[in-house]
Amino acid sequence: MTRSVFRLTRATALSAETVWRRVTDWRAHAAQVPLTSVTAVISGGAAAGRPPTARGTAQGTVFTVRTGVGCVGVDDPMEVVCWTPPAQGRPGRCRLVKRGSVVKGWAEIEVVPSRSGPDGGCVVVWTEELSLRPLPRLLDPLVARVGRLVFGRALDGVLRGPGDDI
């Protein structure tokens, strides 16, 4: 099984709160990747004894992303294991654990406000460990390169809103 780790970093003039909403919109991410959709979302807030956020995501939320055509595809079920939105200049952090039989690993998304104030922009750091069954470890560099390309394109897409520059 492969085990590739890669990191993406993007600076944007958008506020940390706006960026947080965009980078944690799972359906928006899926819309940026061809042949991909979110097929199920189970809000974890209530089940875990915590109130969910306005959009329903909280620690314990589980969702499945499916890539494929018809019955041929791969499911990527994930669980939100850390959910700390940015607030009062403090960075936000979301950690996902991939729980599938083909796709394993984790992703961590950090939104770090700039030091120049709440509307002074922020930096997004996306770190991912991606393991794909049954690919051999020999393909780790290729998987990391493709991961950077696909996830980088998705990240750029969710950051780019109508009339926004990143």
Side-chain angles (χ1 to χ4, degrees):
M1 177 171 22
T2 62
R3 184 172 173 264
S4 302
V5 178
F6 56 91
R7 175 173 284 156
L8 304 165
T9 304
R10 300 291 191 271
T12 176
L14 299 171
S15 72
E17 290 74 19
T18 296
V19 169
W20 180 260
R21 280 192 310 273
R22 290 183 184 187
V23 300
T24 61
D25 182 341
W26 317 125
R27 293 185 193 284
H29 274 277
Q32 298 297 320
V33 181
L35 307 174
T36 301
S37 64
V38 174
T39 59
V41 178
I42 301 168
S43 179
R50 290 175 299 281
T53 64
R55 287 182 306 134
T57 297
Q59 186 171 330
T61 295
V62 176
F63 60 98
T64 300
V65 176
R66 180 166 181 78
T67 301
V69 177
C71 63
V72 178
V74 174
D75 287 333
D76 184 5
M78 295 176 238
E79 180 180 355
V80 177
V81 297
C82 175
W83 180 263
T84 308
Q88 300 172 349
R90 183 195 73 224
R93 183 172 165 256
C94 175
R95 186 174 177 95
L96 307 165
V97 174
K98 297 171 175 284
R99 305 225 187 261
S101 59
V102 175
V103 182
K104 297 266 191 199
W106 52 266
E108 190 165 285
I109 305 165
E110 295 176 280
V111 176
V112 183
S114 80
R115 297 187 189 276
S116 61
D119 295 328
C122 62
V123 173
V124 179
V125 180
W126 181 305
T127 307
E128 181 122 4
E129 177 189 277
L130 188 58
S131 297
L132 300 173
R133 221 175 268 202
L135 297 180
R137 295 212 47 168
L138 174 69
L139 296 178
D140 283 355
L142 177 62
V143 171
R145 181 174 294 187
V146 171
R148 276 191 295 278
L149 178 69
V150 170
F151 286 96
R153 182 178 181 275
L155 180 57
D156 291 344
V158 297
L159 289 175
R160 191 180 312 109
D164 290 336
D165 293 321
I166 60 169

